[in-house]
Amino acid sequence: MTAVLNSPSADLHRGSRLGHGAFYGDYREQRQVGHLALAEMRPTVPEHDVHTHTHDDAHFLLLLEGTYLSTARGMPEACTTRALVLNPPGTTHRDCFRGLDGRFFTLSIPAAAWHAATGYRKLAEDALRLPATALVLATRLWHELRNWDGASPLAIEAGLQLLLDAAAKESPCERDGPMWLERAREQLHDEWRRTPDLAELADTAGVHPVYLARAFRRRYGCSPGEYLRRCRMERAIALLHDRSKALADIAATCGFVDQSHFTHAFRRQHRCTPAQYRALG
């Protein structure tokens, strides 16, 4: 297994490189599945002792608890909610925890395996935060680590492929479009509580509605209506992490007809119910 870096006396000099499955933390759970390394960890190195470093391999980092400081695209300056970060091979950063009360799950992929995966899908070249769909997938992989059995290796390998597919959808070439198309997409993203008609979106973009509908699907791989549903689902997943919020209230807030509609849509997309996802931790 990989070495545990569990004290500030570890080699933390600026410019250091971390090998396969190595992180600044204490390994609470860890498994090896072929060339994949999985671990649940707690930080052990204070923020001021973590300097710029490079990860040789690709890895997904799932923030479970604590305040995480990350320069990945899409991350806030200090993240305190559950989040999933993808770091491609060779990522150089100074990402770390503020304090030592955090907890995180990692799935490491050797650079050679990562590059092989890019032959089947376009993957990001820079660190970025992944959306809620990928967050659900990563949470299920973490839960698999915590509840290991004889079928877990197969579940991990299959789950990784789904996670890579979800990450590919966030590739910049798939996400970024011309400014007029981005205006329409941003309206759907920012005003997800209401449902505009196609004519309104076309007016925002300054093009004909038919042209907008065709260009939107060609660029983003879905219709404006499907994209709006994704935005609402992402918001719902974020709210599920607040256990004080009832499922019925989340459904109403996020534009679902009722809790049953929310549950059906969630199960169809994520292969589990909102209550089951919430129970994963």
Side-chain angles (χ1 to χ4, degrees), residues 110-221:
W114 173 268
H115 293 310
T118 63
Y120 299 96
R121 54 180 74 83
K122 173 66 176 178
L123 294 167
E125 298 179 356
D126 301 307
L128 77 159
R129 181 178 185 173
L130 294 176
T133 297
L135 179 62
V136 173
L137 293 169
T139 300
R140 289 165 58 183
L141 292 177
W142 164 60
H143 191 256
E144 195 69 49
L145 174 66
R146 296 293 303 273
N147 298 272
W148 201 263
D149 63 25
S152 292
L154 180 58
I156 292 296
E157 290 183 325
L160 172 62
Q161 296 307 313
L162 294 175
L163 191 54
L164 290 171
D165 287 342
K169 292 180 180 178
E170 285 299 291
S171 171
C173 69
E174 295 296 327
R175 189 190 63 258
D176 298 334
M179 287 303 299
W180 62 265
L181 190 55
E182 278 292 287
R183 286 196 300 271
R185 186 193 66 80
E186 288 173 359
Q187 179 176 336
L188 291 170
H189 183 272
D190 295 341
E191 302 176 18
W192 54 269
R193 287 183 176 85
R194 70 182 192 89
T195 304
D197 58 29
L198 188 60
E200 179 185 341
L201 286 177
D203 185 62
T204 297
V207 298
H208 191 278
V210 173
Y211 185 66
L212 171 67
R214 290 173 177 171
F216 197 100
R217 180 175 291 279
R218 185 166 56 247
R219 173 58 63 172
Y220 303 115

Side-chain angles (χ1 to χ4, degrees), residues 1-12 16-32 35-46 49-51 53-63 68 84-97 100 103-110 145:
M1 300 301 294
T2 55
V4 177
L5 303 178
N6 57 7
S7 74
S9 62
D11 180 14
L12 304 180
S16 62
R17 303 189 72 90
L18 300 185
H20 181 56
F23 300 89
Y24 297 139
D26 173 33
Y27 291 68
R28 298 305 177 92
E29 299 275 350
Q30 56 181 336
R31 294 277 182 175
Q32 193 84 25
H35 53 255
L36 306 175
L38 302 89
E40 180 183 327
M41 307 180 69
R42 289 190 178 276
T44 56
V45 181
D49 281 333
V50 177
H51 299 295
H53 55 276
T54 299
H55 292 270
D56 289 335
D57 294 340
H59 68 271
F60 293 92
L61 185 146
L62 175 63
L63 173 62
Y68 192 63
L84 178 64
V85 174
L86 167 60
N87 291 304
T91 294
T92 298
H93 61 198
R94 190 179 168 270
D95 288 13
C96 60
F97 278 84
L100 302 180
R103 190 163 57 105
F104 61 107
F105 165 76
T106 62
L107 193 163
S108 299
I109 309 164
L145 174 66

Side-chain angles (χ1 to χ4, degrees), residues 9 14 73 81 97 172 183 191 202 228 239 277:
S9 62
R14 189 177 302 276
R73 175 161 45 87
T81 59
F97 278 84
R183 286 196 300 271
E191 302 176 18
L228 180 60
L239 292 176
Y277 173 67

